[in-house]
């Protein structure tokens, strides 16, 4: 049995209970918080499944379970976006390989369109990670990469659209005023965190169904409930890392997972599709070398699973390798001194 088959069997067994649990809750899930993974692991959460109701669209389900539009569509390639159908199983992408960065502050992985927050653990408490779907800049207004910080926080912000955006709206016949005051018509929503990059913010929105798409003018949009929670926790000075990692590889116990996302329009020139396999191979080799160094055990990679993960680029962590079992101990005969030995792999 290869790792794809084993992963599917495990998913079927575990998601039945998860689906029941999710259906018992009538309120939307926001700001998913996960316990920090065990040492040397970097996979959190578990894939879940729910049954669509007659009136649901995939986008309704995405909003309810706090996942992005692209995320839920990619995770359900054979489900109609607008008419899933009553009783249709819908995969909720709720397991993640953490981006390869220091586990501190805020981390936005651009191809994933997902923000990670690592709050400082209080004394005696375990570390946690929170994760949120976001919208980012479209091709001509891309969200930059780099390391920055939160400069200040503003509640009920006014919006001062720059000349470039006012010109764009003017050309569409939708002129903007010089200042858009706080209120329901303000695209910044009720909370904004200003970054140390002129003109870029993490903010709410008055268009919640745009979460998880490349639709902004470069800013990072969050759902109103998510940004309100983040606003209450993040202090000025918090580091913010904006990274481009379409391929993430990480361990959960003895199993190696790979999570692949489609490359963004604005990133195509930086990481061409032809190089996605190379990017994956480099990430796998790095994770493999580190694990073998830590454990002294070799890794059995499933090339079929690796190819499937790259081909689908569906944003779901897929099992692609396992550590070989540790060699059993042998006890040599008494005449040999009763020395413990291990068999060769």
């Amino acid at each position: 049995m290869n790792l794809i088959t084993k992963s599917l069997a495990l998913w079927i067994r575990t998601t039945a209970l998860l689906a029941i649990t999710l259906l018992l809750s009538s309120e939307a899930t926001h700001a998913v918080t996960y316990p920090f993974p065990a040492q040397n692991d970097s996979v959190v959460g578990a894939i879940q499944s729910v049954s669509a109701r007659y009136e649901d669209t995939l986008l309704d389900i995405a909003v309810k379970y706090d996942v992005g539009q692209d995320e839920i569509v990619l995770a359900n390639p054979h489900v109609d976006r607008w008419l899933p159908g009553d009783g249709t199983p819908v995969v909720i992408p709720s397991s993640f390989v953490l981006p390869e960065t220091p586990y501190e502050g805020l981390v936005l992985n651009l191809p994933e369109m997902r923000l990670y927050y690592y709050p400082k653990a209080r004394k005696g408490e375990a570390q946690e990670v929170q994760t949120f779907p976001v919208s980012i800049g479209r091709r001509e207004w891309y969200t930059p990469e780099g390391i920055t910080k939160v400069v200040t926080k503003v509640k009920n912000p006014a919006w001062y659209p720059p000349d470039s955006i006012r010109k764009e709206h003017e050309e569409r016949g939708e002129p903007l005023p010089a200042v858009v005051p706080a209120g329901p018509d303000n695209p910044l929503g009720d909370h904004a965190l200003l970054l140390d990059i002129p003109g870029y913010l993490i903010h709410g929105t008055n268009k919640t169904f745009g979460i998880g798409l490349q639709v902004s003018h470069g800013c990072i949009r969050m759902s109103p409930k998510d940004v309100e929670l983040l606003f209450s926790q993040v202090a000025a000075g918090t580091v913010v890392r904006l990274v481009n990692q379409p391929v993430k590889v990480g361990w959960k116990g003895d199993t190696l997972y790979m999570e692949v996302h489609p490359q963004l329009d604005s990133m195509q020139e930086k990481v061409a599709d032809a190089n996605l396999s190379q990017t994956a191979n480099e990430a796998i080799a790095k994770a493999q070398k580190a694990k073998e160094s830590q454990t002294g055990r070799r890794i059995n990679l499933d090339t079929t699973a690796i190819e499937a993960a790259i081909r689908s680029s569906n944003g779901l962590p897929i099992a692609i390798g396992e550590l070989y079992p540790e060699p059993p101990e042998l006890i040599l005969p008494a005449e040999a001194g009763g020395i413990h030995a291990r068999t060769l792999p």
Side-chain angles (χ1 to χ4, degrees):
M1 181 184 293
N2 64 26
L3 287 173
I4 295 179
T5 305
K6 290 172 69 177
S7 295
L8 180 60
L10 179 62
W11 180 83
I12 292 172
R13 288 196 300 270
T14 58
T15 54
L17 180 59
L18 287 166
I20 294 172
T21 302
L22 285 169
L23 287 170
L24 290 175
S25 172
S26 61
E27 295 186 6
T29 304
H30 288 275
V32 179
T33 301
Y34 297 104
F36 208 70
Q39 186 176 11
N40 300 320
D41 285 0
S42 58
V43 180
V44 298
I47 301 300
Q48 303 170 347
S49 178
V50 299
S51 294
R53 301 172 301 176
Y54 173 79
E55 66 271 23
D56 283 337
T57 68
L58 276 187
L59 309 188
D60 294 327
I61 298 171
V63 170
K64 181 174 182 179
Y65 293 103
D66 205 28
V67 297
Q69 272 203 43
D70 278 358
E71 281 183 311
I72 202 163
V73 170
L74 288 169
N76 297 275
H78 304 298
V79 177
D80 189 283
R81 181 192 303 237
W82 302 113
L83 294 170
D86 190 31
T88 299
V90 175
V91 173
I92 305 298
S94 48
S95 179
F96 312 97
V97 178
L98 298 178
E100 188 181 6
T101 68
Y103 298 144
E104 62 179 11
L106 292 164
V107 176
L108 170 61
N109 187 22
L110 293 165
E112 190 178 0
M113 288 184 273
R114 182 159 283 274
L115 184 69
Y116 295 85
Y117 174 50
Y118 301 96
K120 291 182 179 180
R122 297 177 181 177
K123 188 175 181 179
E125 294 183 356
Q127 186 177 0
E128 297 177 330
V129 56
Q130 298 175 6
T131 181
F132 313 85
V134 299
S135 295
I136 62 172
R138 59 186 192 261
R139 184 182 180 91
E140 63 273 24
W141 297 91
Y142 69 91
T143 304
E145 298 174 53
I147 300 177
T148 183
K149 65 181 179 181
V150 175
V151 176
T152 189
K153 305 189 301 181
V154 181
K155 192 171 182 179
N156 298 319
W159 181 40
Y160 298 82
D163 291 342
S164 55
I165 294 179
R166 294 186 68 191
K167 180 180 178 182
E168 179 187 70
H169 279 255
E170 185 73 35
E171 291 172 350
R172 294 206 310 250
E174 303 170 353
L176 287 172
V179 181
V180 179
D185 296 327
N186 189 320
L188 301 185
D190 296 332
H191 301 83
L193 295 85
L194 281 64
L195 303 181
D196 197 21
I197 305 175
Y200 288 89
L201 302 81
I202 299 172
H203 62 79
T205 182
N206 57 356
K207 299 177 180 178
T208 56
F209 281 93
I211 300 299
L213 296 173
Q214 281 187 266
V215 292
S216 80
H217 287 93
C219 285
I220 301 157
R221 290 184 191 172
M222 301 180 68
S223 77
K225 288 187 177 180
D226 282 349
V227 75
E228 182 178 6
L229 177 63
L230 191 70
F231 188 94
S232 70
Q233 299 178 88
V234 173
T238 299
V239 66
V240 181
R241 290 179 170 87
L242 310 170
V243 301
N244 174 27
Q245 295 180 14
V247 178
K248 300 185 297 176
V249 174
W251 289 94
K252 188 172 186 178
D254 288 350
T255 303
L256 182 63
Y257 289 85
M258 182 165 71
E259 180 183 325
V260 184
H261 295 266
Q263 296 167 79
L264 303 175
D265 290 342
S266 56
M267 300 295 179
Q268 290 289 352
E269 296 177 0
K270 296 185 179 182
V271 186
D273 284 331
N275 293 331
L276 195 58
S277 293
Q278 180 181 343
T279 302
N281 289 335
E282 291 172 353
I284 292 167
K286 184 175 180 180
Q288 181 177 7
K289 182 179 179 180
K291 196 70 167 184
E292 289 180 346
S293 176
Q294 293 162 5
T295 64
R297 295 159 62 187
R298 293 185 300 173
I299 297 169
N300 177 26
L301 292 175
D302 186 336
T303 56
T304 301
I306 293 170
E307 292 170 359
I310 295 171
R311 185 169 56 251
S312 66
S313 295
N314 64 6
L316 301 176
I318 294 176
I320 61 165
E322 289 183 341
L323 284 175
Y324 279 109
E326 194 167 1
E329 287 190 338
L330 293 180
I331 300 179
L332 300 181
E335 57 268 25
I339 299 172
H340 284 71
R342 291 189 182 278
T343 58
L344 294 175

